[in-house]
PDB file of all heavy atoms in Angstrom:
ATOM      1  N   ALA A 306      32.431  13.693 -39.467  1.00  0.00           N
ATOM      2  CA  ALA A 306      33.549  14.228 -40.243  1.00  0.00           C
ATOM      3  C   ALA A 306      33.302  14.082 -41.742  1.00  0.00           C
ATOM      4  O   ALA A 306      33.570  15.004 -42.521  1.00  0.00           O
ATOM      5  CB  ALA A 306      34.841  13.517 -39.847  1.00  0.00           C
ATOM      6  N   LEU A 307      32.781  12.932 -42.151  1.00  0.00           N
ATOM      7  CA  LEU A 307      32.528  12.722 -43.575  1.00  0.00           C
ATOM      8  C   LEU A 307      31.464  13.678 -44.088  1.00  0.00           C
ATOM      9  O   LEU A 307      31.557  14.187 -45.216  1.00  0.00           O
ATOM     10  CB  LEU A 307      32.101  11.272 -43.817  1.00  0.00           C
ATOM     11  CG  LEU A 307      33.151  10.207 -43.472  1.00  0.00           C
ATOM     12  CD1 LEU A 307      32.620   8.814 -43.797  1.00  0.00           C
ATOM     13  CD2 LEU A 307      34.466  10.464 -44.205  1.00  0.00           C
ATOM     14  N   GLU A 308      30.458  13.946 -43.271  1.00  0.00           N
ATOM     15  CA  GLU A 308      29.440  14.909 -43.687  1.00  0.00           C
ATOM     16  C   GLU A 308      30.004  16.329 -43.702  1.00  0.00           C
ATOM     17  O   GLU A 308      29.735  17.118 -44.611  1.00  0.00           O
ATOM     18  CB  GLU A 308      28.225  14.820 -42.765  1.00  0.00           C
ATOM     19  CG  GLU A 308      27.437  13.539 -42.939  1.00  0.00           C
ATOM     20  CD  GLU A 308      26.049  13.633 -42.358  1.00  0.00           C
ATOM     21  OE1 GLU A 308      25.902  14.180 -41.242  1.00  0.00           O
ATOM     22  OE2 GLU A 308      25.108  13.155 -43.017  1.00  0.00           O
ATOM     23  N   TRP A 309      30.794  16.667 -42.675  1.00  0.00           N
ATOM     24  CA  TRP A 309      31.340  18.027 -42.568  1.00  0.00           C
ATOM     25  C   TRP A 309      32.224  18.367 -43.769  1.00  0.00           C
ATOM     26  O   TRP A 309      32.137  19.469 -44.325  1.00  0.00           O
ATOM     27  CB  TRP A 309      32.130  18.153 -41.271  1.00  0.00           C
ATOM     28  CG  TRP A 309      32.788  19.485 -41.093  1.00  0.00           C
ATOM     29  CD1 TRP A 309      34.090  19.807 -41.354  1.00  0.00           C
ATOM     30  CD2 TRP A 309      32.172  20.685 -40.639  1.00  0.00           C
ATOM     31  NE1 TRP A 309      34.325  21.129 -41.072  1.00  0.00           N
ATOM     32  CE2 TRP A 309      33.165  21.696 -40.634  1.00  0.00           C
ATOM     33  CE3 TRP A 309      30.882  21.011 -40.221  1.00  0.00           C
ATOM     34  CZ2 TRP A 309      32.896  23.001 -40.234  1.00  0.00           C
ATOM     35  CZ3 TRP A 309      30.622  22.310 -39.821  1.00  0.00           C
ATOM     36  CH2 TRP A 309      31.619  23.281 -39.827  1.00  0.00           C
ATOM     37  N   PHE A 310      33.053  17.412 -44.176  1.00  0.00           N
ATOM     38  CA  PHE A 310      33.978  17.666 -45.285  1.00  0.00           C
ATOM     39  C   PHE A 310      33.379  17.307 -46.649  1.00  0.00           C
ATOM     40  O   PHE A 310      34.063  17.398 -47.668  1.00  0.00           O
ATOM     41  CB  PHE A 310      35.284  16.895 -45.077  1.00  0.00           C
ATOM     42  CG  PHE A 310      36.122  17.433 -43.952  1.00  0.00           C
ATOM     43  CD1 PHE A 310      36.273  16.710 -42.787  1.00  0.00           C
ATOM     44  CD2 PHE A 310      36.732  18.671 -44.052  1.00  0.00           C
ATOM     45  CE1 PHE A 310      37.041  17.199 -41.735  1.00  0.00           C
ATOM     46  CE2 PHE A 310      37.494  19.172 -43.010  1.00  0.00           C
ATOM     47  CZ  PHE A 310      37.652  18.442 -41.848  1.00  0.00           C
ATOM     48  N   GLY A 311      32.121  16.874 -46.667  1.00  0.00           N
ATOM     49  CA  GLY A 311      31.464  16.590 -47.939  1.00  0.00           C
ATOM     50  C   GLY A 311      32.045  15.416 -48.680  1.00  0.00           C
ATOM     51  O   GLY A 311      32.010  15.376 -49.922  1.00  0.00           O
ATOM     52  N   ALA A 312      32.567  14.435 -47.938  1.00  0.00           N
ATOM     53  CA  ALA A 312      33.246  13.312 -48.582  1.00  0.00           C
ATOM     54  C   ALA A 312      32.292  12.398 -49.337  1.00  0.00           C
ATOM     55  O   ALA A 312      32.719  11.679 -50.238  1.00  0.00           O
ATOM     56  CB  ALA A 312      34.016  12.497 -47.537  1.00  0.00           C
ATOM     57  N   ALA A 313      31.013  12.397 -48.963  1.00  0.00           N
ATOM     58  CA  ALA A 313      30.074  11.441 -49.547  1.00  0.00           C
ATOM     59  C   ALA A 313      29.123  12.087 -50.545  1.00  0.00           C
ATOM     60  O   ALA A 313      28.021  11.580 -50.767  1.00  0.00           O
ATOM     61  CB  ALA A 313      29.280  10.760 -48.434  1.00  0.00           C
ATOM     62  N   ARG A 314      29.535  13.189 -51.141  1.00  0.00           N
ATOM     63  CA  ARG A 314      28.674  13.820 -52.147  1.00  0.00           C
ATOM     64  C   ARG A 314      28.425  12.857 -53.304  1.00  0.00           C
ATOM     65  O   ARG A 314      29.312  12.152 -53.747  1.00  0.00           O
ATOM     66  CB  ARG A 314      29.334  15.091 -52.679  1.00  0.00           C
ATOM     67  CG  ARG A 314      29.385  16.229 -51.677  1.00  0.00           C
ATOM     68  CD  ARG A 314      29.782  17.533 -52.352  1.00  0.00           C
ATOM     69  NE  ARG A 314      29.918  18.624 -51.384  1.00  0.00           N
ATOM     70  CZ  ARG A 314      31.068  19.018 -50.857  1.00  0.00           C
ATOM     71  NH1 ARG A 314      32.187  18.415 -51.232  1.00  0.00           N
ATOM     72  NH2 ARG A 314      31.117  19.995 -49.986  1.00  0.00           N
ATOM     73  N   GLY A 315      27.193  12.886 -53.791  1.00  0.00           N
ATOM     74  CA  GLY A 315      26.832  12.030 -54.908  1.00  0.00           C
ATOM     75  C   GLY A 315      26.422  10.635 -54.513  1.00  0.00           C
ATOM     76  O   GLY A 315      26.190   9.796 -55.377  1.00  0.00           O
ATOM     77  N   THR A 316      26.324  10.366 -53.194  1.00  0.00           N
ATOM     78  CA  THR A 316      25.888   9.052 -52.715  1.00  0.00           C
ATOM     79  C   THR A 316      24.532   9.180 -52.026  1.00  0.00           C
ATOM     80  O   THR A 316      23.935  10.261 -51.983  1.00  0.00           O
ATOM     81  CB  THR A 316      26.908   8.467 -51.721  1.00  0.00           C
ATOM     82  OG1 THR A 316      26.854   9.219 -50.502  1.00  0.00           O
ATOM     83  CG2 THR A 316      28.323   8.537 -52.294  1.00  0.00           C
ATOM     84  N   LEU A 317      24.072   8.085 -51.459  1.00  0.00           N
ATOM     85  CA  LEU A 317      22.806   8.105 -50.708  1.00  0.00           C
ATOM     86  C   LEU A 317      22.946   8.790 -49.356  1.00  0.00           C
ATOM     87  O   LEU A 317      21.945   9.087 -48.710  1.00  0.00           O
ATOM     88  CB  LEU A 317      22.301   6.675 -50.512  1.00  0.00           C
ATOM     89  CG  LEU A 317      21.928   5.913 -51.783  1.00  0.00           C
ATOM     90  CD1 LEU A 317      21.560   4.475 -51.460  1.00  0.00           C
ATOM     91  CD2 LEU A 317      20.775   6.606 -52.506  1.00  0.00           C
ATOM     92  N   GLY A 318      24.188   8.998 -48.905  1.00  0.00           N
ATOM     93  CA  GLY A 318      24.394   9.676 -47.630  1.00  0.00           C
ATOM     94  C   GLY A 318      25.266   8.866 -46.692  1.00  0.00           C
ATOM     95  O   GLY A 318      25.739   7.778 -47.028  1.00  0.00           O
ATOM     96  N   VAL A 319      25.486   9.432 -45.488  1.00  0.00           N
ATOM     97  CA  VAL A 319      26.307   8.806 -44.454  1.00  0.00           C
ATOM     98  C   VAL A 319      25.393   8.331 -43.329  1.00  0.00           C
ATOM     99  O   VAL A 319      24.535   9.081 -42.855  1.00  0.00           O
ATOM    100  CB  VAL A 319      27.348   9.802 -43.895  1.00  0.00           C
ATOM    101  CG1 VAL A 319      28.226   9.123 -42.855  1.00  0.00           C
ATOM    102  CG2 VAL A 319      28.198  10.359 -45.029  1.00  0.00           C
ATOM    103  N   PHE A 320      25.620   7.090 -42.893  1.00  0.00           N
ATOM    104  CA  PHE A 320      24.762   6.477 -41.886  1.00  0.00           C
ATOM    105  C   PHE A 320      25.616   5.809 -40.810  1.00  0.00           C
ATOM    106  O   PHE A 320      26.729   5.354 -41.064  1.00  0.00           O
ATOM    107  CB  PHE A 320      23.832   5.444 -42.527  1.00  0.00           C
ATOM    108  CG  PHE A 320      23.026   6.003 -43.673  1.00  0.00           C
ATOM    109  CD1 PHE A 320      23.509   5.951 -44.968  1.00  0.00           C
ATOM    110  CD2 PHE A 320      21.800   6.596 -43.438  1.00  0.00           C
ATOM    111  CE1 PHE A 320      22.789   6.482 -46.025  1.00  0.00           C
ATOM    112  CE2 PHE A 320      21.063   7.132 -44.493  1.00  0.00           C
ATOM    113  CZ  PHE A 320      21.557   7.071 -45.786  1.00  0.00           C
ATOM    114  N   SER A 321      25.075   5.762 -39.608  1.00  0.00           N
ATOM    115  CA  SER A 321      25.749   5.104 -38.494  1.00  0.00           C
ATOM    116  C   SER A 321      24.693   4.674 -37.489  1.00  0.00           C
ATOM    117  O   SER A 321      23.642   5.319 -37.363  1.00  0.00           O
ATOM    118  CB  SER A 321      26.770   6.042 -37.836  1.00  0.00           C
ATOM    119  OG  SER A 321      27.378   5.429 -36.712  1.00  0.00           O
ATOM    120  N   ALA A 322      24.966   3.597 -36.767  1.00  0.00           N
ATOM    121  CA  ALA A 322      24.044   3.134 -35.722  1.00  0.00           C
ATOM    122  C   ALA A 322      24.510   3.582 -34.346  1.00  0.00           C
ATOM    123  O   ALA A 322      24.058   3.056 -33.341  1.00  0.00           O
ATOM    124  CB  ALA A 322      23.917   1.608 -35.768  1.00  0.00           C
ATOM    125  N   HIS A 323      25.399   4.568 -34.303  1.00  0.00           N
ATOM    126  CA  HIS A 323      25.977   5.037 -33.045  1.00  0.00           C
ATOM    127  C   HIS A 323      25.275   6.311 -32.587  1.00  0.00           C
ATOM    128  O   HIS A 323      25.183   7.280 -33.341  1.00  0.00           O
ATOM    129  CB  HIS A 323      27.472   5.296 -33.245  1.00  0.00           C
ATOM    130  CG  HIS A 323      28.196   5.651 -31.986  1.00  0.00           C
ATOM    131  ND1 HIS A 323      29.301   6.475 -31.978  1.00  0.00           N
ATOM    132  CD2 HIS A 323      27.987   5.295 -30.693  1.00  0.00           C
ATOM    133  CE1 HIS A 323      29.749   6.604 -30.737  1.00  0.00           C
ATOM    134  NE2 HIS A 323      28.962   5.902 -29.944  1.00  0.00           N
ATOM    135  N   ASN A 324      24.790   6.294 -31.356  1.00  0.00           N
ATOM    136  CA  ASN A 324      24.167   7.463 -30.728  1.00  0.00           C
ATOM    137  C   ASN A 324      23.067   8.049 -31.616  1.00  0.00           C
ATOM    138  O   ASN A 324      22.280   7.313 -32.191  1.00  0.00           O
ATOM    139  CB  ASN A 324      25.232   8.486 -30.349  1.00  0.00           C
ATOM    140  CG  ASN A 324      26.097   7.988 -29.194  1.00  0.00           C
ATOM    141  OD1 ASN A 324      25.838   6.935 -28.627  1.00  0.00           O
ATOM    142  ND2 ASN A 324      27.112   8.743 -28.835  1.00  0.00           N
ATOM    143  N   THR A 325      23.014   9.361 -31.769  1.00  0.00           N
ATOM    144  CA  THR A 325      21.879   9.969 -32.465  1.00  0.00           C
ATOM    145  C   THR A 325      21.808   9.557 -33.930  1.00  0.00           C
ATOM    146  O   THR A 325      20.724   9.536 -34.516  1.00  0.00           O
ATOM    147  CB  THR A 325      21.946  11.501 -32.336  1.00  0.00           C
ATOM    148  OG1 THR A 325      21.894  11.844 -30.953  1.00  0.00           O
ATOM    149  CG2 THR A 325      20.786  12.168 -33.045  1.00  0.00           C
ATOM    150  N   TYR A 326      22.935   9.214 -34.544  1.00  0.00           N
ATOM    151  CA  TYR A 326      22.879   8.761 -35.939  1.00  0.00           C
ATOM    152  C   TYR A 326      21.974   7.539 -36.078  1.00  0.00           C
ATOM    153  O   TYR A 326      21.304   7.363 -37.105  1.00  0.00           O
ATOM    154  CB  TYR A 326      24.284   8.452 -36.459  1.00  0.00           C
ATOM    155  CG  TYR A 326      24.947   9.626 -37.135  1.00  0.00           C
ATOM    156  CD1 TYR A 326      25.709  10.523 -36.407  1.00  0.00           C
ATOM    157  CD2 TYR A 326      24.793   9.850 -38.501  1.00  0.00           C
ATOM    158  CE1 TYR A 326      26.321  11.607 -37.024  1.00  0.00           C
ATOM    159  CE2 TYR A 326      25.400  10.931 -39.122  1.00  0.00           C
ATOM    160  CZ  TYR A 326      26.158  11.805 -38.376  1.00  0.00           C
ATOM    161  OH  TYR A 326      26.749  12.879 -38.991  1.00  0.00           O
ATOM    162  N   TYR A 327      21.930   6.685 -35.056  1.00  0.00           N
ATOM    163  CA  TYR A 327      21.030   5.537 -35.111  1.00  0.00           C
ATOM    164  C   TYR A 327      19.589   6.004 -35.262  1.00  0.00           C
ATOM    165  O   TYR A 327      18.807   5.434 -36.038  1.00  0.00           O
ATOM    166  CB  TYR A 327      21.172   4.683 -33.850  1.00  0.00           C
ATOM    167  CG  TYR A 327      20.029   3.710 -33.676  1.00  0.00           C
ATOM    168  CD1 TYR A 327      19.988   2.521 -34.400  1.00  0.00           C
ATOM    169  CD2 TYR A 327      18.959   4.008 -32.829  1.00  0.00           C
ATOM    170  CE1 TYR A 327      18.915   1.650 -34.272  1.00  0.00           C
ATOM    171  CE2 TYR A 327      17.891   3.137 -32.694  1.00  0.00           C
ATOM    172  CZ  TYR A 327      17.869   1.962 -33.412  1.00  0.00           C
ATOM    173  OH  TYR A 327      16.801   1.102 -33.285  1.00  0.00           O
ATOM    174  N   LEU A 328      19.223   7.034 -34.530  1.00  0.00           N
ATOM    175  CA  LEU A 328      17.843   7.513 -34.543  1.00  0.00           C
ATOM    176  C   LEU A 328      17.469   8.119 -35.885  1.00  0.00           C
ATOM    177  O   LEU A 328      16.293   8.188 -36.234  1.00  0.00           O
ATOM    178  CB  LEU A 328      17.647   8.541 -33.425  1.00  0.00           C
ATOM    179  CG  LEU A 328      17.851   7.983 -32.011  1.00  0.00           C
ATOM    180  CD1 LEU A 328      17.968   9.115 -31.012  1.00  0.00           C
ATOM    181  CD2 LEU A 328      16.718   7.052 -31.635  1.00  0.00           C
TER     182      LEU A 328
END
Side-chain angles (χ1 to χ4, degrees):
L307 297 182
E308 290 197 317
W309 177 262
F310 290 110
R314 290 192 184 97
T316 70
L317 296 175
V319 182
F320 306 90
S321 177
H323 186 210
N324 290 355
T325 300
Y326 268 89
Y327 165 79
L328 297 166

